[in-house]
């Protein structure tokens, strides 16, 4: 029954839109991929140095997919597909554990939010850029990219968005919020 499915997806989208993120996180709804699932919503986020400053520390994309047929690889009807990227300090370029650390930041974010999930998969990539010739005075840079997907199991999909935003803030280098502090909505476009 398509009406019930559309209503279920609409409730999930409303929950995502109502999520209370840290004020440094600017969340923007963007066009979602059309061919992956019958229902999809996509959001991008930038982590800024402060609410009043547009200096970007990290950026990413969060896509929520809903397919009532429950594709086998998903192990359910819902799938979250994410991307997170931030520039790191140059000394991280040669850290052999950087990939493992990036994945742990993701799973810790999910676990700390208390969300249940299955069928998690992803990659952590480090990109080292060195400049030469006319750009040789530019310092080397290191970027980390975490690409991940998982299938939410029960609960609110908004908690999965919050966990992903926690990952973004972690790779951006922001300290965790003190225990008991409730994040207020950040600026939205």
């Amino acid at each position: 029954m398509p009406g019930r499915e559309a209503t279920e997806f609409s409730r999930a989208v409303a929950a995502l839109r109502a999520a209370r993120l840290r004020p440094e996180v600017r969340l923007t709804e963007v066009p979602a991929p059309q061919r992956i699932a019958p229902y999809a919503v996509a959001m991008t986020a930038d982590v800024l140095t402060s609410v009043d400053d547009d200096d970007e520390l990290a950026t990413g994309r969060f896509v929520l997919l809903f397919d009532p047929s429950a594709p086998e690889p998903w192990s359910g009807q819902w799938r979250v597909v994410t991307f997170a990227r931030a520039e790191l300090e140059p000394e991280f370029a040669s850290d052999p554990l950087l990939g493992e650390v990036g994945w742990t930041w993701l799973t810790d974010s999910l676990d700390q939010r208390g969300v249940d999930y299955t069928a998690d998969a992803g990659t952590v990539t480090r990109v080292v850029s060195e400049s030469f010739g006319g750009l040789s005075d530019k310092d080397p840079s290191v970027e980390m990219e975490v690409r991940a997907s998982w299938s939410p199991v029960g609960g609110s999909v908004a908690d999965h968005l919050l966990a992903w935003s926690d990952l973004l803030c972690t790779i951006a280098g922001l300290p965790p919020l003190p225990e008991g502090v409730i994040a207020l909505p950040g600026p939205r476009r």
Side-chain angles (χ1 to χ4, degrees):
M1 139 183 330
R4 182 189 60 78
E5 295 161 354
T7 300
E8 186 175 356
F9 183 72
S10 293
R11 279 192 207 117
V13 171
L16 293 177
R17 290 176 180 154
R20 297 172 57 131
L21 305 177
R22 288 179 67 147
E24 300 93 345
V25 179
R26 182 177 293 161
L27 190 66
T28 306
E29 195 166 328
V30 296
Q34 298 297 309
R35 296 187 177 143
I36 301 173
Y39 302 92
V41 63
M43 300 181 169
T44 61
D46 296 316
V47 178
L48 309 175
T49 52
S50 71
V51 176
D52 302 320
D53 193 350
D54 281 343
D55 285 343
E56 182 184 293
L57 299 173
T59 189
R61 184 174 175 150
F62 180 95
V63 178
L64 178 65
L65 306 170
F66 178 57
D67 186 341
S69 73
E72 187 178 331
W74 292 10
S75 299
Q77 296 179 324
W78 297 94
R79 189 75 178 164
V80 172
V81 180
T82 66
F83 168 76
R85 178 181 63 227
E87 189 168 331
L88 303 177
E89 298 297 322
E91 58 266 14
F92 286 109
S94 60
D95 186 340
L97 297 177
L98 186 60
E100 191 173 322
V101 168
W103 190 255
T104 299
W105 286 342
L106 169 68
T107 58
D108 284 353
S109 295
L110 292 164
D111 294 344
Q112 289 170 2
R113 287 286 176 176
V115 299
D116 289 325
Y117 60 95
T118 189
D120 56 318
T123 62
V124 178
T125 304
R126 113 189 58 209
V127 178
V128 179
S129 298
E130 296 180 72
S131 301
F132 299 94
L135 298 174
S136 62
D137 59 340
K138 191 174 178 187
D139 291 332
S141 66
V142 178
E143 284 188 343
M144 171 191 265
E145 298 177 353
V146 179
R147 294 178 184 269
S149 62
W150 63 90
S151 297
V153 178
S156 171
V157 293
D159 291 332
H160 293 265
L161 174 67
L162 293 171
W164 172 76
S165 73
D166 293 343
L167 167 67
L168 269 178
C169 291
T170 299
I171 68 171
L174 295 182
L177 288 174
E179 193 71 30
V181 172
I182 297 173
L184 299 174
R188 294 182 185 243
R189 290 185 189 162

